[in-house]
Amino acid sequence: MHTDRQCGSWLSRANACAILVRMLQRTDDLRITETRPLIPPAILIEEIPVSETASNVIAETRRAVADVIAGRDPRFVVIAGPCSIHDPKAALEYATRLKAMAVRYAGQLIVLMRSYFEKPRTSVGWKGLINDPDLDESFHINKGLRLARRLLLDVNNLGLPTASEFLDVQIPQHIADLTSWVAIGARTTESQVHRELASGLSMPVGFKNSTDGNTQTAVDAVLASRSPHWFPSVTKQGVSAIFHTTGNESCHVILRGGSRTGPNFEAHHVADVCQRLAKHRLPETVMIDCSHANSHKDHTKQQIAAASICEQVAAGSWQVFGAMLESNLVEGRQDYVPGTQAVYGQSITDACISIEQTEPLLERFAEAQQKRGRR
């Protein structure tokens, strides 16, 4: 029989072992199966440096768009291009054709190519060229970053500025120096980290209203992003650091419609948002996205929103300073199947109008701007 002292000693050892086991249980990275090194932004920038031509295009476009937002430049801003880029070759061909239009209407319009490499997802799906450049769920992100940066440089070297959406807050360090304008999407406009990011970005930033159509979230985001912030992030050398920003005075609202409210591109929608902006002494100007909920996700209805914008501008309104179009070489969209031949120049995400259908809309925007100028 065990004595009380022996039992007590055994229980003490058992308790000690149980405590040790509890202390040694793994508590971190329980759902991480693999990690890969991410190329530091500084190395990527060294591999694909900005050219003199590109730097001039970017700097001049950033100043021009900021002047339009502030009312110092009478031109109209147009962001046109694919819903998302999956084929750099087709995207560069599109850029070449859009550049010719941009030159034709340069007196009335500032045209930027929509160059989106990240796709926000409501549930699941392809996350964009940077995240999955081979479109096969291999997720070669370093390859995607190189493709994206090379394309941005090539487009800017044509003399055509680029516009992107920043979704992952580390990606801007890799490509922001080649970007003239940035959008923060409807799903991330309420995000504090994206507002902090915008406060330190070197270009104008547009905040979309929320997916349900709430515009106050975008107004709040503009107000927050114009203020200085302190926040942790990563330097171009890939080192964790704390950043202090000055605030970005060139932030603005983008109206894109909503699932609850429906389209919001008409004059009374614009007036309502501008009243909200005025309460905070913010510039009473907005950009209108002709796609998404403003077209009921029907690419052919982008022209309806565009017509309303042109009517407002031609009537003398300065409250709408720009518009967005989803446009590609080929009209419509396709479901991409890995290993099969895709339709060249056609979207694999949201449907787009064709490049041929884009030019008449640019012409209408230019004519509306001319009429506004004469008024």
Side-chain angles (χ1 to χ4, degrees):
M1 294 181 63
H2 297 293
T3 65
D4 290 343
R5 180 175 296 178
Q6 288 174 321
C7 288
S9 176
W10 179 85
L11 288 172
S12 295
R13 289 195 300 272
N15 288 336
C17 289
I19 291 171
L20 183 61
V21 169
R22 286 200 298 271
M23 289 177 61
L24 293 179
Q25 288 190 72
R26 184 180 173 188
T27 60
D28 195 21
D29 292 341
L30 297 180
R31 295 182 175 87
I32 303 299
T33 60
E34 181 183 358
T35 61
R36 302 175 187 171
L38 180 69
I39 184 171
I43 299 300
L44 182 62
I45 293 169
E46 183 178 329
E47 286 184 11
I48 310 173
V50 63
S51 66
E52 182 178 350
T53 296
S55 67
N56 288 331
V57 168
I58 295 159
E60 291 169 8
T61 304
R62 288 175 177 177
R63 282 194 295 267
V65 174
D67 285 344
V68 172
I69 295 169
R72 296 186 294 265
D73 189 320
R75 287 177 292 176
F76 191 78
V77 178
V78 180
I79 313 292
C83 170
S84 61
I85 290 174
H86 69 279
D87 181 352
K89 180 182 176 181
L92 190 58
E93 180 179 336
Y94 176 93
T96 303
R97 298 179 65 176
L98 185 65
K99 167 61 178 176
M101 300 178 196
V103 171
R104 190 172 303 129
Y105 303 112
Q108 299 79 41
L109 306 179
I110 301 172
V111 179
L112 298 84
M113 178 173 163
R114 179 184 167 110
S115 307
Y116 280 33
F117 304 110
E118 300 177 87
K119 287 300 298 178
R121 289 302 184 183
T122 302
S123 54
V124 294
W126 182 65
K127 295 181 181 179
L129 185 75
I130 287 178
N131 196 270
D132 188 16
D134 296 314
L135 292 91
D136 58 1
E137 299 186 356
S138 55
F139 304 110
H140 294 142
I141 293 175
N142 288 329
K143 176 181 178 180
L145 285 167
R146 288 184 170 94
L147 288 173
R149 185 168 177 84
R150 170 54 63 186
L151 178 61
L152 289 174
L153 180 61
D154 289 344
V155 174
N156 277 287
N157 281 337
L158 292 174
L160 183 67
T162 60
S164 295
E165 177 179 346
F166 287 165
L167 182 59
D168 186 295
V169 293
Q170 291 195 51
I171 296 303
Q173 290 286 48
H174 296 81
I175 61 173
D177 61 320
L178 291 171
T179 306
S180 294
W181 176 93
V182 164
I184 302 298
R187 296 169 182 80
T188 43
T189 285
E190 287 190 84
S191 163
Q192 177 173 300
V193 294
H194 287 82
R195 295 176 178 187
E196 292 169 343
L197 170 68
S199 75
L201 288 173
S202 301
M203 71 289 291
V205 178
F207 286 92
K208 291 194 174 184
N209 62 249
S210 62
T211 55
D212 67 357
N214 184 348
T215 59
Q216 187 60 47
T217 56
V219 173
D220 292 342
V222 171
L223 183 62
S225 300
R226 290 170 69 91
S227 302
H229 290 278
W230 288 90
F231 59 91
S233 190
V234 178
T235 69
K236 284 184 168 54
Q237 288 70 36
V239 177
S240 296
I242 299 171
F243 288 74
H244 183 206
T245 68
T246 62
N248 188 341
E249 72 282 358
S250 296
C251 293
H252 61 87
V253 171
I254 305 173
L255 300 179
R256 48 87 73 196
S259 58
R260 178 179 57 81
T261 61
N264 59 6
F265 54 75
E266 294 182 357
H268 66 92
H269 297 117
V270 173
D272 175 71
V273 175
C274 286
Q275 286 178 3
R276 295 172 185 264
L277 291 166
K279 290 180 180 178
H280 298 288
R281 298 182 180 179
L282 298 171
E284 297 174 43
T285 53
V286 302
M287 177 179 282
I288 295 178
D289 181 356
C290 295
S291 189
H292 299 97
N294 271 338
S295 65
H296 295 287
K297 297 187 178 181
D298 180 347
H299 66 286
T300 63
K301 293 182 179 178
Q302 290 188 73
Q303 61 181 331
I304 298 174
S308 176
I309 294 169
C310 290
E311 182 180 346
Q312 294 173 59
V313 172
S317 172
W318 293 92
Q319 292 183 323
V320 182
F321 79 86
M324 301 183 71
L325 298 170
E326 288 195 328
S327 162
N328 214 326
L329 290 175
V330 177
E331 180 185 5
R333 67 170 305 278
Q334 60 186 315
D335 290 321
Y336 177 75
V337 179
T340 64
Q341 186 66 39
V343 176
Y344 179 76
Q346 188 177 55
S347 175
I348 64 170
T349 48
D350 291 350
C352 301
I353 58 175
S354 69
I355 189 70
E356 291 82 9
Q357 294 166 328
T358 302
E359 183 164 13
L361 295 182
L362 295 184
E363 184 178 6
R364 292 180 67 180
F365 286 138
E367 290 174 350
Q369 189 277 339
Q370 283 183 318
K371 290 179 181 178
R372 180 174 64 180
R374 287 196 292 269
R375 284 176 176 271

